[in-house]
Amino acid sequence: MSQGSEVDILVVEQATNAIQQAGLPPSKSHLIRWLLMASQSEQAVTISGVSGAADDVLSMRDALIELGVDMDFNENSWTVHGVGANGFSTPANGLNLHNSGTAFRLLTFACLRMGEVVTVDGDSTLEPRIDRDFWSSLDVEVEFGSERQNLPLKIKGPFRKENLLIDGSKTSQHLSAILLSMPAMNSPLDLTIEGDIVSQRHALLSFQIAAECGSENEFGGHRLLPWKCQPPSQVEIPRDASHISFWKLYEILHDTTLDIPEVQVKDSIGAELLTELDIKVHQTVDLSLANDLITPLAAAMALGGGGRIFGAGHARFKESNRIEQTASMLAAFSIEVNCTPDGLEIEGGQTPESPNAVVQAYGDHRMQMTAAILATKVGAKIEGSELHRVSFPEFLNYLHP
């Protein structure tokens, strides 16, 4: 396995022996939220289980440091010295959230409490995920990069609306962003939510973490109340269960069984469906609560019993359009799947073949990692040598130990 520098290509050679043990990164969904909560406290909070944290998490961590939050670092823990609900300072050079949509949405809204202009930027995969309508609806000063470009985004609060309409059909993260910034609000906020809220398990995670920090707000309510942020002094981050999907693909590809760390159902954010799923037989899988699984799961189902994935329409609004581009990426390995409005139709019993060109990952870490797993069987050159670092920096070390 090698990583090309000039053209940014990951070369994965056919494996001679199957691996036996797999790992999982810390859950970036948990860690990003806890960093924000710890920063808004008035005490020190030690967050453990951070070894191998994703680049998305590091973007959030480093941005909080730019906002004036002090942190101490050990091998497997970070201690965050909270600045209180209104203690953020204006960053001198703006904030760069790189690829992280979660960090962008949560932290950009959090910056509205300061009443100063903050410039927030990111990379090319973050650009199309910016919802202009949402940011323009907040009655704050907003300046986009240009008429056609969203980034860099300049925004200035304070946010003082008492009523707000949000669209829940593309992302639940705007709801999470508002909830997790309620410690800085002076009055309740009445919400009107259009459409069904997608990724509900992630929204529920936000409400759960907020509750552990003193919030009395409940998911499903339409009035959010302010609260004083008082997180526990010690927090343990669970492993990211969504990455089990890559190892399930590896198992069926190499006809083996891996030693994979267990993640409790309460921490799995929808990925617990993998524990009961027999990919070797025809399956109908609802990904309305776990759309991040679509790409590796589709590949595994194609090698196994096939079936149908539905409920994943909001996967179109991730780093890539994960419905159409999953089909395109798998086609490079001669695996055929058919796109539907909210998922994929998958014929089983297929066998991957070596691609005859560089496999496109579309700037999406889950595309790149799925392609890398398939390449352990047939070899491949894959676009984006560092994309896996977005969620799982140690991923390649497990493929070829």
Side-chain angles (χ1 to χ4, degrees):
M1 187 180 313
S2 62
Q3 294 167 294
S5 56
E6 292 186 6
V7 289
D8 193 28
I9 291 175
L10 173 66
V11 180
V12 181
E13 298 177 353
Q14 182 178 359
T16 55
N17 296 298
I19 62 174
Q20 295 181 328
Q21 187 166 8
L24 298 173
S27 168
K28 65 189 182 82
S29 296
H30 286 78
L31 189 41
I32 285 174
R33 287 164 172 81
W34 274 115
L35 282 169
L36 180 55
M37 290 293 93
S39 297
Q40 295 180 92
S41 73
E42 297 177 353
Q43 63 188 57
V45 178
T46 298
I47 304 175
S48 302
V50 303
S51 178
D55 280 3
D56 273 9
V57 172
L58 302 185
S59 296
M60 180 71 171
R61 183 198 68 182
D62 294 346
L64 286 166
I65 293 172
E66 289 292 322
L67 289 167
V69 180
D70 290 332
M71 299 189 197
D72 301 324
F73 306 112
N74 292 307
E75 182 178 356
N76 195 36
S77 67
W78 301 335
T79 297
V80 181
H81 299 277
V83 296
N86 293 293
F88 291 156
S89 56
T90 305
N93 301 311
L95 305 176
N96 190 335
L97 280 310
H98 300 283
N99 179 273
S100 181
T102 304
F104 176 88
R105 296 181 184 106
L106 268 57
L107 206 50
T108 301
F109 192 90
C111 285
L112 292 177
R113 69 193 65 187
M114 293 188 293
E116 300 288 341
V117 175
V118 178
T119 301
V120 188
D121 209 347
D123 67 17
S124 60
T125 67
L126 184 59
E127 164 75 28
R129 289 181 276 160
I130 308 304
D131 186 341
R132 284 195 175 212
D133 290 340
F134 173 75
W135 298 106
S136 299
S137 73
L138 301 180
D139 287 353
V140 297
E141 295 182 28
V142 180
E143 180 183 336
F144 298 99
S146 68
E147 288 187 5
R148 296 185 177 182
Q149 286 189 307
N150 295 318
L151 297 174
L153 173 68
K154 294 183 179 179
I155 197 158
K156 178 183 178 182
F159 173 80
R160 289 177 173 158
K161 294 191 72 171
E162 297 179 356
N163 300 276
L164 186 64
L165 170 68
I166 61 175
D167 180 1
S169 64
K170 292 182 180 179
T171 179
S172 65
Q173 288 180 357
H174 292 143
L175 174 59
S176 291
I178 297 165
L179 169 72
L180 298 180
S181 278
M182 288 307 295
M185 301 297 178
N186 294 320
S187 59
L189 177 64
D190 291 314
L191 293 177
T192 300
I193 301 176
E194 287 188 337
D196 295 330
I197 298 176
V198 298
S199 299
Q200 285 194 19
R201 289 293 297 275
H202 287 81
L204 286 165
L205 174 64
S206 296
F207 278 84
Q208 170 196 323
I209 289 175
E212 293 183 54
C213 298
S215 170
E216 295 182 357
N217 294 295
E218 296 183 357
F219 180 74
H222 292 282
R223 166 167 279 213
L224 296 180
L225 303 175
W227 85 92
K228 183 176 178 62
C229 187
Q230 296 177 306
S233 61
Q234 301 284 334
V235 175
E236 182 72 26
I237 302 300
R239 300 287 103 184
D240 189 331
S242 72
H243 287 73
I244 295 173
S245 58
F246 298 106
W247 302 129
K248 292 296 184 181
L249 169 59
Y250 189 98
E251 287 181 331
I252 197 165
L253 181 68
H254 291 280
D255 190 24
T256 190
T257 300
L258 298 178
D259 181 9
I260 306 171
E262 292 185 6
V263 182
Q264 295 184 36
V265 170
K266 69 179 182 65
D267 296 322
S268 294
I269 325 180
E272 65 272 9
L273 66 86
L274 294 169
T275 61
E276 302 295 330
L277 199 62
D278 185 356
I279 300 171
K280 294 182 180 180
V281 301
H282 188 280
Q283 295 284 349
T284 299
V285 185
D286 181 0
L287 288 188
S288 58
L289 300 180
N291 71 88
D292 281 342
L293 308 182
I294 188 170
T295 305
L297 183 57
M301 290 170 66
L303 305 184
R308 181 171 70 96
I309 291 173
F310 72 99
H314 49 304
R316 299 180 187 277
F317 307 108
K318 293 292 188 174
E319 288 88 330
S320 66
N321 180 331
R322 284 192 184 148
I323 294 180
E324 274 76 10
Q325 291 173 342
T326 289
S328 178
M329 186 276 291
L330 293 180
F333 289 91
S334 301
I335 296 173
E336 295 185 9
V337 300
N338 296 316
C339 300
T340 68
D342 68 342
L344 297 164
E345 295 280 356
I346 305 162
E347 181 179 350
Q350 301 187 57
T351 302
E353 297 180 7
S354 181
N356 55 21
V358 174
V359 178
Q360 297 301 305
Y362 306 100
D364 189 324
H365 57 114
R366 293 186 189 268
M367 295 279 179
Q368 182 244 34
M369 289 191 285
T370 301
I373 295 283
L374 292 169
T376 62
K377 190 71 171 180
V378 298
K381 296 180 179 179
I382 304 162
E383 173 222 5
S385 63
E386 299 288 330
L387 284 174
H388 59 283
R389 295 192 57 83
V390 168
S391 64
F392 195 175
E394 297 177 358
F395 173 70
L396 296 181
N397 296 335
Y398 285 102
L399 285 189
H400 286 274

